[in-house]
Amino acid sequence: MLAAAAAARLAEAGVPSARFDAEVLLAEALGIDRGRLPLADDATPEHEAAYEALISRRAAREPLQHILGRAHFGPLTLAVGPGVFVPRPETELLADWAAGQVGRGAAIVDLCAGSGALGLYLAATVPEARVVLVERDHAALGYLRRNAAAATASGTATVLAGDVRDPDLPARLTGLLGAVDLVVTNPPYVPEGAALDREAAADPAAALFSGADGLDLIRDLAPLAARLLAGGGTVGVEHDDANGGGAVALLRAAGFGAVTQHRDLAGRPRYVTGRMDA
């Protein structure tokens, strides 16, 4: 009954996943897994008060992940909140593709790492991977370091405070890894002025927007990835569904071959990949 009433309230507030969110937040208030809700005893007044506070925050369109303080991404549970981009399920497609491109002991760089979703996914799934996660934003670095410290990995995951536009960055990375086998990135890629839903707008603007066409940072990332992969390797770049053609052109201009456009589960262009021959 509590979840049903809360779901109706969230739906009225425009929350797209009202029933799911209502159940997740009820489980949070009760301190149990969502799957145990049918077995839960009646909520106490204290539970009901805690639940009301959580539902009020979600009805105000505060992102669910901010309320919980965590987001799930593949095998990971990542700390997130105000100041860091909340990873989206569609990025798991890039992560899964990337994990299939390299073998044991691969040297991997995650540029614009944010919470660490891509790089830590690879650290968890590629045996003995050596992963460096690069992020420049102070607030995001706090979450990234926390997530890297908590991650389970058979290899190493190293956080590097750095700007992808710094010309000295390749030298700093090569010193950590040696030859790089794979570069992945989910950079800011939303065109300036694009309409966002209220939850997406809660992400830091610096993690979202990248010039009039959303490609400004990818213009810098493509040649950087080419330098890092000069010994041969693969790159994967997530992009806005409106600028996939531009991302393809930028990888080709940087010298990548076998440039391929990939679509998400809704059929929208979502990420582009390429290879650099030694």
Side-chain angles (χ1 to χ4, degrees), residues 36-222:
R36 290 180 52 83
L37 284 177
L39 305 176
D41 296 329
D42 291 340
T44 66
E46 291 77 14
H47 288 142
E48 292 185 11
Y51 189 43
E52 167 61 26
L54 296 175
I55 291 297
S56 293
R57 293 172 65 184
R58 189 67 186 101
R61 303 297 293 274
E62 183 177 350
L64 177 67
Q65 297 86 352
H66 284 194
I67 297 170
L68 299 173
R70 61 186 183 271
H72 297 292
F73 188 84
L76 308 174
T77 300
L78 300 168
V80 296
V84 71
F85 181 81
V86 173
R88 308 297 200 259
E90 55 265 30
T91 304
E92 292 185 33
L93 298 173
L94 172 55
D96 186 57
W97 171 88
Q101 304 306 303
V102 290
R104 181 178 299 273
I108 301 168
V109 177
D110 179 3
L111 299 171
C112 304
S115 66
L118 278 172
L120 295 178
Y121 180 107
L122 294 168
T125 56
V126 177
E128 299 178 21
R130 294 169 291 136
V131 182
V132 175
L133 305 104
V134 182
E135 176 57 52
R136 73 171 186 174
D137 183 79
H138 178 74
L141 277 166
Y143 290 102
L144 177 55
R145 291 187 174 111
R146 177 178 169 187
N147 289 327
T152 300
S154 66
T156 60
T158 303
V159 174
L160 179 64
D163 190 332
V164 298
R165 287 173 165 156
D166 179 357
D168 294 329
L169 182 62
R172 296 174 65 197
L173 288 167
T174 304
L176 284 168
L177 288 171
V180 177
D181 301 302
L182 172 68
V183 173
V184 290
T185 179
N186 181 16
Y189 57 62
V190 178
E192 294 285 354
L196 300 174
D197 63 36
R198 289 177 63 181
E199 286 80 2
D203 284 320
L208 294 172
F209 300 108
S210 188
D213 59 2
L215 293 171
D216 276 7
L217 198 56
I218 297 177
R219 288 187 176 93
D220 293 315
L221 285 170

Side-chain angles (χ1 to χ4, degrees), residues 101 181 232-235 255-259 273-277:
Q101 304 306 303
D181 301 302
T234 308
V235 66
F256 286 96
V259 177
T273 62
R275 287 202 56 80
M276 184 67 66
D277 294 328

